[in-house]
Amino acid sequence: MFAPYSAPELQRTGAASDVPLQRALREQQTLLDSAGVGIVFLRQRSVVRCNQRYAEIFGHAAAQDLVGVSTETFYPSRDAFRELGRMAYPVLAQGQTFRMERQLRRRDGSLFWGSLTGRLINPQDTTEGSIWILDDIDEQKRAHAELGAAVREKQLLFDSAMVGIVFLKDRNLTRCNRYFEQMLGYSAGELAGSSSRRWYGSEAAWKDAGRRCYPVLNAGQTYAGELELCHKDGTPVVCDVRAKSIDPADPSLGSIWIAVDITERKRAQALLASAHEDLERQVQDRTRELRETVDNLHREINERKADQERIYWLAHYDALTGLPNRALLAERAQHAIRVAQENQTPLALIFLDLDHFKHVNDSLGHRVGDALLVEIAKRLRAVVRERDTVSRLGGDEFILLLPGANAHGAARVAGKLQEASRQHYQIGHHELTMAPSMGIALFPQDGTDFDTLTQSADVAMYRAKLDGRNTFKFFTPEMQAQSVRALQLENALRRALERGQLHLHYQPQMSLTTGAVRSVEALVRWQHPQLGNVSPAEFIPIAENSGQILQIGEWVLRTALAQLKDWHAKGFSGLTMAVNLSAIQFRQPQLPELVSRMLAEFGLPAQSLELELTEGVAVDDPHTAVSTMDQLHARGVRMSMDDFGTGYSSLSQLKRFQIFKLKIDQSFVRDLSDDGNDRAIVSAIIRMAQALGMRTTAEGVETPGQLAFLREQGCDEAQGYHFSRPLSAQELEAFMRTLPPH
Ligand code: C2E
Ligand code: MG
Ligand code: MG
């Protein structure tokens, strides 16, 4: 396609006869056409001939187009053209090849890099022209420039990278960047050629790193992991390392290592981890504290709850017996009253007081008393129905609230309570019996509220006590008045002794055989300025209940003995003194001692004193009663059984008592003339007394008929208005003096 030599030219130069030359020319032509570079033949700075490639490089379609064109057009400027000439000709002139890379200009004016190689055809004759080979190296040039830029960039990267970059060969440093040196504290170039052992803390660490990394690199893979390197100053530098063989196919070419100092990060991580741990621990601690606090709170709440329950319990129950106390009773009673009101149903309240409970406490101690109360509480509870309330007010007082119970029902319950109390209680080795006195109040007639009902039942109970105990009484409005008086008397009685309102009267007891005054009975009198004369039958039970009886009794004993001493001194030497003794006095353990002391005080023989006891002394505790009697008897003091026949003494009991005489109660004596029954009783008592070796005294003898019967039956003594009323000491003295001496 391209022919530097035209056919006529070939023909002209290559005559038919000159065949070898023609062949050489054709060969040359082929060579030129197939050359990858532009080739031009210049003479006088003009194109004589060029190949197709040359024309293409400059943007011409055909090589022909360039023939005769001045080479100046191939240069960007005239200066550039001339400069090349200046540089090329001296070289060419010496017959040498001139080589240069220059910017040339294409037909369209655009510039490109060309590589020029020129040579004179005949160095001796420059006019023969020159041959130039041109290669378009624009691409190559650009690629080169890009490569250079890339290399520079890489170098920049290498130098300014914030990671350490190391090239190693056989574990020796061939190259590293500045950062790596700085990271390990070395100055620039200091590590060149060093073994990598230099930046490990120990031989072992270095070997270990080698064992870990190289198998990976040798397998053509990237090693990625942490390595602990060593700073020049010896401090450890933890690095995140990535390494790779430069040529995975040939590990011997070495490897590249990129190391990032993560010491700080590690430290920060460690700090963070420890901070985290701290936090975790603190959270755990707090959680535990919180849990403990919550537990404590729970415990406290439970304790408080238990406390509150306990407080509630203590506020509403009796600690000893576990029965509801007065407060809880009041609540229940108010409720029961409301229900009774709404439903028009009955309601009863029983006030119960144990007879002589104080004696148990005094003689056997509080522990026995408490144990007894507990047992009694159980028995009370067992008698009533589920919906009834048995409560303890304290001491030996109980209240039973019986919703739905009318008078009949309440009486039945009271009867059952009496029945239940007949069986003895076994407290330790003590066998104790404890009878209750009960008062019953009914809703609504005896009270429409709790307080009034309680008061009414209390009054009725008090009455039951006065009426001989171990019984129950329904409240009546009259009782109210009596109880008001009882309260008045009780208060007035407190001052009676000190204000000298008490004195003694004496009533003679006549011997039915001799008609003489054998003894006199001391009877207490109370003269109150406002209340007038108060009978001992009324105030003695009050004194017993309030405990004042002990003081009064002692005063009576002393006054009576003083009087007897006086009469003895006045010649009534055989006279004995009978003194009434309350059951409460009798239960005083120190009684025998007191009596002896008092007799000694007045220098009176024991036989001159006669203590009148009632059957009640032995009701609660016969054993102790017998023992007290024995003691008194041993001291020579005589005892008589007062009001005999009205109590519960059995014959067998009587046999065990050291009783000197029986005083037949005046209720039997009163009707002797017209009641055959009483006569039978009186004569039986007299015979029984005789059989037991006891004397008999008849009380309340008012008529000669009574006296006659008693004498007939063999009664020893008599006392009563028939002979004399109770008299003052002077009166009695006068009375005695009227009797014939014996
Ligand atoms: P008592 O020991 O049975 O005393 C006899 C009571 O009968 C006395 O009443 C007396 O005045 C009364 N009396 C005597 N003869 C007759 C009579 O022919 N007909 C009638 N209807 N009554 C007669 P008093 O003095 O009122 O005493 C009553 C009770 O008071 C006594 O009964 C006695 O149990 C008690 N008492 C009196 N003084 C004392 C005392 O100093 N201490 C104690 N503990 N009780 C005393
Ligand atoms: Mg008496
Ligand atoms: Mg009597």
Side-chain angles (χ1 to χ4, degrees):
M1 60 179 282
F2 171 64
Y5 299 97
S6 63
E9 212 174 1
L10 276 174
Q11 277 162 5
R12 205 176 43 241
T13 52
S17 57
D18 199 359
V19 174
L21 182 65
Q22 278 184 10
R23 191 185 300 141
L25 278 171
R26 267 200 306 277
E27 283 171 5
Q28 201 177 29
Q29 184 62 40
T30 309
L31 204 65
L32 286 171
D33 285 346
S34 56
V37 294
I39 301 168
V40 66
F41 173 48
L42 302 178
R43 193 183 293 144
Q44 297 301 318
R45 299 198 164 190
S46 289
V47 174
V48 176
R49 205 173 287 139
C50 70
N51 69 353
Q52 181 62 22
R53 175 70 191 133
Y54 191 82
E56 278 173 12
I57 287 173
F58 286 101
H60 290 274
Q64 223 67 47
D65 299 348
L66 287 177
V67 175
V69 170
S70 163
T71 55
E72 192 184 327
T73 59
F74 299 146
Y75 290 89
S77 64
R78 178 172 288 248
D79 288 345
F81 168 68
R82 285 198 180 136
E83 192 199 343
L84 182 91
R86 272 200 306 278
M87 283 160 64
Y89 280 98
V91 178
L92 294 173
Q94 286 182 12
Q96 290 172 353
T97 302
F98 173 79
R99 281 192 184 87
M100 163 138 283
E101 288 177 359
R102 295 258 5 138
Q103 263 198 320
L104 302 173
R105 193 157 65 100
R106 294 192 214 276
R107 186 181 174 197
D108 60 6
S110 61
L111 300 179
F112 73 96
W113 279 93
S115 162
L116 292 169
T117 308
R119 201 179 169 96
L120 289 178
I121 292 168
N122 182 358
Q124 274 75 49
D125 183 6
T126 56
T127 59
E128 276 188 36
S130 56
I131 293 282
W132 294 81
I133 294 169
L134 169 68
D135 197 4
D136 182 347
I137 59 163
D138 212 36
E139 275 301 311
Q140 197 184 324
K141 244 324 203 214
R142 198 169 23 253
H144 193 75
E146 275 172 15
L147 186 70
V151 167
R152 275 195 306 283
E153 276 170 19
K154 237 181 228 169
Q155 186 62 41
L156 207 64
L157 214 62
F158 189 71
D159 289 338
S160 56
M162 296 306 280
V163 295
I165 303 170
V166 187
F167 289 90
L168 295 179
K169 198 173 175 189
D170 299 329
R171 304 199 81 176
N172 287 323
L173 186 141
T174 53
R175 199 171 155 213
C176 74
N177 68 351
R178 184 71 197 115
Y179 188 87
F180 183 72
E181 293 164 336
Q182 284 167 342
M183 190 172 90
L184 297 180
Y186 292 97
S187 48
E190 198 180 342
L191 285 173
S194 299
S195 160
S196 58
R197 163 70 184 90
R198 195 161 168 193
W199 52 82
Y200 280 89
S202 67
E203 184 80 9
W206 180 62
K207 284 186 173 160
D208 179 58
R211 270 195 299 274
R212 275 199 281 154
C213 304
Y214 283 100
V216 180
L217 303 191
N218 294 342
Q221 288 164 351
T222 302
Y223 169 82
E226 271 178 25
L227 289 178
E228 191 181 297
L229 307 185
C230 187
H231 193 272
K232 191 180 179 183
D233 65 11
T235 54
V237 180
V238 182
C239 287
D240 186 20
V241 170
R242 279 169 181 277
K244 203 170 165 67
S245 288
I246 291 168
D247 182 357
D250 183 5
S252 69
L253 292 177
S255 51
I256 176 165
W257 299 70
I258 295 172
V260 180
D261 181 355
I262 56 166
T263 314
E264 270 310 310
R265 196 168 83 198
K266 286 295 258 191
R267 193 174 305 143
Q269 272 174 355
L271 276 175
L272 200 71
S274 99
H276 198 81
E277 250 171 51
D278 275 359
L279 200 72
E280 199 98 305
R281 206 172 29 248
Q282 274 178 15
V283 168
Q284 276 172 5
D285 287 354
R286 289 285 172 285
T287 310
R288 202 185 49 245
E289 279 170 23
L290 204 71
R291 198 179 309 120
E292 280 169 10
T293 309
V294 169
D295 286 352
N296 284 342
L297 215 65
H298 270 294
R299 200 171 313 123
E300 235 169 72
I301 288 170
N302 287 340
E303 276 168 13
R304 201 165 297 169
K305 233 195 244 167
D307 282 353
Q308 275 168 355
E309 278 167 15
R310 179 102 190 110
I311 287 167
Y312 178 86
W313 198 88
L314 288 174
H316 292 83
Y317 290 87
D318 168 46
L320 176 64
T321 60
L323 292 176
N325 65 8
R326 191 191 178 94
L328 184 54
L329 172 72
E331 273 176 32
R332 292 197 184 165
Q334 274 147 16
H335 175 73
I337 288 168
R338 247 193 330 273
V339 171
Q341 236 152 14
E342 281 164 14
N343 303 345
Q344 302 276 308
T345 48
L347 169 77
L349 194 139
I350 300 181
F351 200 114
L352 185 152
D353 188 287
L354 301 171
D355 297 341
H356 312 306
F357 175 76
K358 196 174 170 303
H359 169 60
V360 174
N361 262 350
D362 291 346
S363 56
L364 302 177
H366 283 276
R367 206 169 301 178
V368 174
D370 284 354
L372 179 60
L373 283 172
V374 170
E375 290 309 310
I376 289 170
K378 281 187 202 159
R379 225 177 256 190
L380 295 180
R381 193 57 255 177
V383 164
V384 300
R385 294 164 306 177
E386 191 58 40
R387 63 173 173 156
D388 298 332
T389 297
V390 177
S391 77
R392 177 172 175 241
L393 300 192
D396 57 353
E397 291 181 337
F398 298 83
I399 285 184
L400 291 86
L401 177 71
L402 313 171
N406 54 19
H408 179 70
R412 271 191 50 148
V413 172
K416 281 207 263 177
L417 292 170
Q418 278 184 312
E419 182 66 38
S421 67
R422 270 196 252 289
Q423 268 199 335
H424 72 259
Y425 294 92
Q426 187 73 44
I427 306 294
H429 58 276
H430 302 285
E431 267 184 21
L432 304 174
T433 46
M434 190 57 35
S437 291
M438 290 170 276
I440 303 172
L442 299 170
F443 172 85
Q445 58 265 42
D446 302 335
T448 51
D449 59 77
F450 171 63
D451 284 341
T452 314
L453 280 171
T454 308
Q455 268 168 25
S456 300
D458 190 6
V459 166
M461 184 280 293
Y462 193 77
R463 191 49 192 246
K465 276 224 187 287
L466 295 183
D467 281 15
R469 302 172 185 261
N470 190 18
T471 180
F472 63 88
K473 283 271 181 287
F474 280 96
F475 174 80
T476 62
E478 301 80 63
M479 284 180 186
Q480 186 65 47
Q482 286 164 357
S483 85
V484 168
R485 178 166 163 86
L487 206 66
Q488 260 181 332
L489 292 182
E490 190 185 319
N491 283 328
L493 200 53
R494 287 186 208 288
R495 302 264 183 281
L497 262 183
E498 62 193 57
R499 293 190 180 166
Q501 292 167 357
L502 295 184
H503 54 273
L504 295 183
H505 273 187
Y506 304 92
Q507 190 177 31
Q509 300 179 337
M510 315 300 290
S511 164
L512 293 188
T513 46
T514 64
V517 177
R518 172 77 54 68
S519 63
V520 293
E521 179 179 5
L523 293 163
V524 69
R525 294 291 174 261
W526 180 19
Q527 175 99 46
H528 187 271
Q530 281 83 41
L531 299 167
N533 286 325
V534 185
S535 158
E538 190 180 13
F539 75 79
I540 291 292
I542 292 169
E544 283 177 333
N545 275 313
S546 66
Q548 297 174 77
I549 191 66
L550 295 177
Q551 239 190 322
I552 293 172
E554 202 177 318
W555 177 85
V556 169
L557 187 61
R558 174 168 281 116
T559 310
L561 288 180
Q563 185 56 59
L564 181 64
K565 176 78 185 169
D566 185 43
W567 280 326
H568 278 191
K570 286 176 175 165
F572 304 104
S573 50
L575 197 64
T576 61
M577 179 65 75
V579 175
N580 291 285
L581 213 60
S582 158
I584 290 172
Q585 281 174 281
F586 183 75
R587 287 192 205 102
Q588 288 297 105
Q590 62 272 36
L591 177 73
E593 167 62 26
L594 175 79
V595 170
S596 295
R597 208 174 59 227
M598 223 163 299
L599 285 167
E601 202 178 297
F602 293 104
L604 287 167
Q607 290 76 11
S608 63
L609 178 64
E610 202 175 292
L611 296 174
E612 293 195 7
L613 312 176
T614 54
E615 291 167 89
V617 296
V619 166
D620 295 327
D621 189 358
H623 296 294
T624 316
V626 166
S627 132
T628 307
M629 283 187 214
D630 287 348
Q631 286 183 56
L632 287 168
H633 179 73
R635 290 165 199 250
V637 179
R638 290 170 176 169
M639 282 155 285
S640 55
M641 186 59 80
D642 206 351
D643 306 337
F644 188 75
T646 57
Y648 304 93
S649 320
S650 66
L651 192 60
S652 61
Q653 226 176 17
L654 210 55
K655 275 201 280 188
R656 283 155 60 205
F657 292 169
Q658 294 290 352
I659 294 294
F660 175 68
K661 76 180 174 196
L662 295 182
K663 292 186 77 180
I664 304 164
D665 191 69
Q666 48 183 288
S667 60
F668 302 111
V669 176
R670 191 176 303 133
D671 300 324
L672 275 182
S673 41
D674 40 40
D675 191 326
N677 209 17
D678 282 351
R679 278 203 295 274
I681 292 173
V682 170
S683 73
I685 292 173
I686 293 168
R687 276 200 298 280
M688 185 185 75
Q690 286 169 346
L692 291 171
M694 296 173 186
R695 293 196 188 188
T696 47
T697 300
E699 287 187 83
V701 179
E702 295 184 359
T703 64
Q706 292 163 345
L707 180 62
F709 177 80
L710 291 164
R711 193 170 271 149
E712 188 185 299
Q713 292 300 317
C715 184
D716 298 304
E717 292 165 11
Q719 177 183 356
Y721 297 169
H722 175 70
F723 306 100
S724 166
R725 288 183 171 258
L727 304 169
S728 69
Q730 292 89 334
E731 289 168 336
L732 187 88
E733 204 178 311
F735 172 77
M736 286 194 290
R737 291 193 195 284
T738 62
L739 297 175
H742 294 275

